[in-house]
Amino acid sequence: MAMQKKIDGNEFISEFGHSLLFEHLSFQETQEILNDSFIKTVYEGEYLIHEGDEPSYLFFIMEGALITYRTNDSGDEVSIRLLGRGESCMDAVIFMGSTQSPIGVKATTPTVVLKIPTVILKKCVYKNHELANNMLNTVAKYYGESLVQIDNLAIKGAKESVGHYLLRQFIDNNERQTSFVLKFKKIVIANYLGIKPETLSRMLKELKKEGTIDMRGDKVILKDEFVLCDFCDVLTKKACANSVSMDCSKRPT
Amino acid sequence: MAMQKKIDGNEFISEFGHSLLFEHLSFQETQEILNDSFIKTVYEGEYLIHEGDEPSYLFFIMEGALITYRTNDSGDEVSIRLLGRGESCMDAVIFMGSTQSPIGVKATTPTVVLKIPTVILKKCVYKNHELANNMLNTVAKYYGESLVQIDNLAIKGAKESVGHYLLRQFIDNNERQTSFVLKFKKIVIANYLGIKPETLSRMLKELKKEGTIDMRGDKVILKDEFVLCDFCDVLTKKACANSVSMDCSKRPT
DNA sequence: CGGTTCCTTGACGCATATCAATCTGTGTGG
DNA sequence: CCACACAGATTGATATGCGTCAAGGAACCG
């Protein structure tokens, strides 16, 4: 792996300073992390780490998309998280204290990744209150997301899972826009939701038949901004702009 | 709620100083947390916090057992974690930064709980590197456990889930003992595993028929200490004493 | 165009849920 | 000490949602 030139802290901060991992950090602190990190571009389908490998880096996505996954005995991969620009992974794994990662990471598209060495990160977290706080908030956030995933799998039927996923996309992507584009291939989304692509297809069809959504290719069109509210939950509600401006229970119809 | 007398740090440390949350803390640091905390006894079935309530305390179990859960629209509760003496909950929730807890907590048996106020905890975490590290490790550990739960739900069949649960009990409870007692009612365990009590019953029956286990009431008897190895995974392996003394793949037959 | 790759649709099977009856153990009151 | 009640666990019969398998169709790309 070729040595890279130093990453410019100012440039980085202006682009990614608001991401959960780096927020509230001074230029000094950010630059210190960057000095020992480096940027790598990976191709579609490339594995950044396999399950069981030693977690040597935190991966921060500067451009592109990654998925984290686990494999069972039969060799099926189950997605844990689907990540885009400004998100990171291996954060939690690094602090689990195992030399064997319970998850693997691979790229679903050509991706530019910032690799922060585990040792550097641990050192900085120990010295730096803000970073420690950021890490704690980050890992807690992942845990929260995994709770949602658990009840997708345990409580909800396939349709509710799909509805909930669409709702999250609606909220995350572009507030107030009643149409958005799916950021991942359907086979990846299905796997993330713990269902088969065939089932995802059938559920979307049902939602279309009921008039909840419409689709053009991978573009989802909502009838209005409230049609998915039935699929909401406490954690999702927090991220929803509607919930601050109005009482969810009083939404139209 | 009546004011309690100060909790004695020395006594507390000798009993719980090795729990993940309090390890490596000095007497001073521990006492500081304890000064603003208090002990409460809750009865079986009592709720310590409901979903949607503001998370005001971290709960640390001094005696008894708690479960954390989530509820869906149809009112079904799904267990997230089953906790015993020396374990804590709400740790992650406190750092999720929401005023609404995504989980509820209730006692499955009369339980003595140490309640640490959120504000105190946050303050101490910010000041104290060791505690921050402990919290980070704790939350990361929960996240790891939730990963196991996700693939129990997503990848594994009911039998694998049950086998894996028994394996964890074998490892956690008393190393080397080939028999142990189930710490929770079967209905609670079933719910935790995302299956129905009837299914749990049937799976245990199958395991008995195959000669993997035997049962006397709620006591589980293993044929030998390796019968459950097939249900192992990377994270569980780390906690297993056998894996350090020998190569798992070379276990007898 | 022709060839991938991804998505959709239909027919069928299986694992687990559901429903209902019975069993087992444990605690209580006469 | 026995009888009764009750909660939890088991068992059997049936239902169903999702997976599996196999065949098409649509979008993409050289």
Side-chain angles (χ1 to χ4, degrees):
Chain A
M1 117 204 356
M3 210 51 232
Q4 320 277 324
K5 70 166 193 287
K6 254 193 187 177
I7 302 158
D8 179 45
N10 280 317
E11 214 172 281
F12 186 89
I13 289 170
S14 76
E15 274 206 76
F16 298 110
H18 295 297
S19 69
L20 191 47
L21 199 58
F22 291 103
E23 67 179 357
H24 308 311
L25 296 191
S26 68
F27 169 78
Q28 286 276 342
E29 294 165 335
T30 307
Q31 186 69 57
E32 184 180 352
I33 295 169
L34 294 176
N35 281 344
D36 288 300
S37 305
F38 58 95
I39 291 169
K40 195 182 175 209
T41 301
V42 294
Y43 52 84
E44 175 171 343
E46 185 171 347
Y47 288 83
L48 286 94
I49 180 172
H50 290 92
E51 289 171 274
D53 289 353
E54 183 162 3
S56 310
Y57 300 99
L58 181 149
F59 303 121
F60 180 89
I61 304 176
M62 302 181 68
E63 205 59 61
L66 299 176
I67 65 173
T68 64
Y69 67 90
R70 279 171 71 82
T71 312
N72 69 343
D73 310 321
S74 345
D76 304 323
E77 285 180 3
V78 184
S79 308
I80 304 295
R81 299 175 56 223
L82 309 182
L83 330 169
R85 190 183 147 89
E87 296 187 286
S88 54
C89 58
M90 298 302 293
D91 337 43
V93 172
I94 286 169
F95 291 94
M96 282 181 201
S98 172
T99 54
Q100 294 190 290
S101 172
I103 60 166
V105 180
K106 73 175 173 187
T108 59
T109 183
T111 297
V112 183
V113 181
L114 175 70
K115 297 177 72 171
I116 306 173
T118 298
V119 283
I120 302 301
L121 189 72
K122 282 189 170 169
K123 203 180 67 187
C124 290
V125 162
Y126 196 80
K127 287 195 314 192
N128 183 337
H129 288 297
E130 286 300 347
L131 184 61
N133 243 305
N134 288 354
M135 281 302 307
L136 197 44
N137 293 336
T138 302
V139 178
K141 185 183 147 217
Y142 295 164
Y143 184 59
E145 286 167 1
S146 81
L147 294 183
V148 173
Q149 218 169 336
I150 286 171
D151 56 40
N152 269 338
L153 297 166
I155 343 189
K156 295 177 185 163
K159 193 158 96 182
E160 284 81 29
S161 297
V162 173
H164 185 265
Y165 179 79
L166 293 179
L167 175 60
R168 287 225 63 108
Q169 294 308 305
F170 165 63
I171 293 174
D172 289 357
N173 283 11
N174 23 6
E175 296 274 3
R176 317 259 126 219
Q177 289 286 94
T178 53
S179 74
F180 55 89
V181 173
L182 295 176
K183 286 187 299 211
F184 294 88
K185 278 183 290 202
K186 292 199 177 147
I187 193 169
V188 174
I189 296 171
N191 190 25
Y192 171 68
L193 297 175
I195 61 178
K196 297 289 145 181
E198 293 94 325
T199 304
L200 172 58
S201 192
R202 285 185 245 270
M203 295 306 121
L204 287 172
K205 197 180 170 185
E206 276 193 44
L207 290 171
K208 275 185 272 185
K209 205 158 53 193
E210 292 166 8
T212 307
I213 63 167
D214 198 8
M215 297 199 65
R216 298 261 182 287
D218 57 359
K219 186 173 171 187
V220 180
I221 302 149
L222 308 180
K223 212 175 55 185
D224 62 61
E225 52 180 328
F226 303 109
V227 282
L228 295 175
C229 287
D230 288 337
F231 300 112
C232 201
D233 70 301
V234 175
L235 242 44
T236 305
K237 185 178 167 184
K238 196 190 134 208
C240 177
N242 285 334
S243 79
V244 298
S245 60
M246 66 189 290
D247 182 350
C248 290
S249 60
K250 288 181 189 148
R251 71 181 193 273
T253 317
Chain B
M1 114 200 4
M3 210 52 230
Q4 321 276 323
K5 72 166 193 287
K6 254 194 187 177
I7 302 160
D8 178 44
N10 281 316
E11 215 173 279
F12 186 88
I13 288 171
S14 76
E15 276 206 76
F16 298 110
H18 294 297
S19 71
L20 191 47
L21 200 58
F22 291 102
E23 69 179 356
H24 308 313
L25 296 191
S26 68
F27 169 79
Q28 286 276 344
E29 293 164 337
T30 307
Q31 187 68 59
E32 184 179 352
I33 295 169
L34 293 176
N35 281 344
D36 288 300
S37 305
F38 59 94
I39 291 170
K40 194 183 177 209
T41 300
V42 293
Y43 53 82
E44 176 170 343
E46 185 171 346
Y47 287 84
L48 287 93
I49 180 173
H50 290 92
E51 290 170 273
D53 288 354
E54 183 162 2
S56 310
Y57 300 99
L58 180 148
F59 304 120
F60 181 88
I61 303 176
M62 301 182 69
E63 206 58 61
L66 300 176
I67 64 173
T68 62
Y69 67 89
R70 278 171 71 84
T71 312
N72 70 342
D73 311 321
S74 345
D76 304 322
E77 285 181 2
V78 183
S79 308
I80 304 296
R81 298 175 58 220
L82 309 181
L83 328 170
R85 191 184 146 89
E87 295 187 286
S88 54
C89 58
M90 299 303 293
D91 336 43
V93 171
I94 287 169
F95 292 94
M96 282 182 203
S98 172
T99 53
Q100 294 190 291
S101 171
I103 60 166
V105 179
K106 73 175 173 189
T108 59
T109 184
T111 297
V112 183
V113 181
L114 176 70
K115 296 176 74 171
I116 306 172
T118 298
V119 282
I120 301 301
L121 188 73
K122 281 190 171 170
K123 202 180 69 187
C124 290
V125 162
Y126 196 80
K127 287 196 315 194
N128 183 338
H129 287 296
E130 286 300 346
L131 184 62
N133 242 305
N134 288 354
M135 281 302 307
L136 196 45
N137 293 335
T138 301
V139 178
K141 185 182 147 219
Y142 295 164
Y143 183 59
E145 286 166 1
S146 81
L147 293 183
V148 173
Q149 217 169 337
I150 286 171
D151 55 42
N152 269 338
L153 297 166
I155 340 191
K156 293 178 186 163
K159 193 157 96 184
E160 284 81 30
S161 296
V162 173
H164 185 265
Y165 180 79
L166 293 179
L167 175 60
R168 287 225 63 109
Q169 293 308 303
F170 166 63
I171 293 174
D172 288 358
N173 284 10
N174 23 6
E175 294 274 1
R176 316 258 127 219
Q177 290 287 94
T178 53
S179 74
F180 55 88
V181 173
L182 295 176
K183 286 186 299 209
F184 295 88
K185 279 183 291 202
K186 292 198 177 147
I187 193 169
V188 174
I189 296 171
N191 190 25
Y192 171 68
L193 298 175
I195 60 179
K196 297 289 147 183
E198 293 95 326
T199 305
L200 173 57
S201 193
R202 285 185 244 270
M203 295 305 120
L204 288 172
K205 198 180 170 187
E206 275 193 44
L207 290 171
K208 276 186 270 187
K209 204 157 55 190
E210 292 167 7
T212 307
I213 64 167
D214 197 9
M215 297 200 65
R216 299 260 183 286
D218 58 359
K219 186 174 170 188
V220 180
I221 301 149
L222 307 181
K223 214 175 56 185
D224 62 60
E225 53 180 328
F226 303 108
V227 282
L228 294 174
C229 287
D230 288 338
F231 299 112
C232 201
D233 69 300
V234 176
L235 242 43
T236 305
K237 185 179 167 182
K238 196 189 136 208
C240 176
N242 285 334
S243 79
V244 296
S245 60
M246 65 189 292
D247 183 349
C248 290
S249 60
K250 288 178 189 150
R251 72 181 192 274
T253 318

